Amino acid sequence: MSAQVNRFNDIIRKLRKQLFGKGPDRLETVFMQNMAVTTLYGNLTPTEKFIAGTNEGKEMVHTARTRLIQDVYAKSPPEGLEEVVGAKFVYLFSDIKVDEDIAVSVFVFDRSIV
């Protein structure tokens, strides 16, 4: 894994920990064209896992996880993110499979980052 990917993952992990009280256990990021695609494993807190014990709870956790992170990035990207890739952040697409505790985030930038 490159130093650039490591720095990118560290920024993502730190932000998630600040927002949710727990960062992902493992991240895998691939840079391609003007995008960074990050798969995040082991995201949920013990409380979220408990809440997700029902279908209604699963939906609540899914909504909270996806909307909150998208709202944060819509306001401004985390500090250092654009510097790591050398491009301006434009959009974030994010989703989580609550049962599997796996999330995917696609970061779109204004130009190629590879």
Side-chain angles (χ1 to χ4, degrees):
M1 188 179 320
S2 76
Q4 183 184 29
V5 169
N6 281 335
R7 288 193 314 271
F8 188 90
N9 286 348
D10 287 344
I11 291 168
I12 302 311
R13 181 179 285 111
K14 180 180 174 185
L15 177 65
R16 299 279 176 134
K17 186 171 183 173
Q18 287 173 340
L19 289 175
F20 300 112
K22 178 188 182 309
D25 296 333
R26 183 168 56 99
L27 292 92
E28 294 176 4
T29 298
V30 177
F31 293 153
M32 62 180 86
Q33 300 171 7
N34 67 326
M35 296 178 287
V37 179
T38 303
T39 307
L40 305 94
Y41 301 89
N43 302 279
L44 302 178
T45 66
T47 303
E48 288 172 315
K49 288 178 184 178
F50 177 78
I51 292 168
T54 65
N55 286 335
E56 186 178 274
K58 253 183 249 175
E59 185 60 33
M60 285 174 38
V61 170
H62 180 271
T63 300
R65 281 274 175 166
T66 54
R67 285 196 186 149
L68 178 59
I69 201 72
Q70 288 173 350
D71 288 350
V72 166
Y73 278 86
K75 290 176 186 152
S76 70
E79 188 176 322
L81 187 78
E82 294 175 330
E83 291 77 9
V84 167
V85 296
K88 182 173 174 15
F89 172 77
V90 181
Y91 302 112
L92 172 71
F93 297 91
S94 186
D95 201 3
I96 187 168
K97 295 295 273 179
V98 174
D99 287 336
E100 292 81 6
D101 197 0
I102 298 172
V104 174
S105 291
V106 179
F107 303 83
V108 179
F109 297 90
D110 70 341
R111 62 182 170 275
S112 180
I113 61 171
V114 290

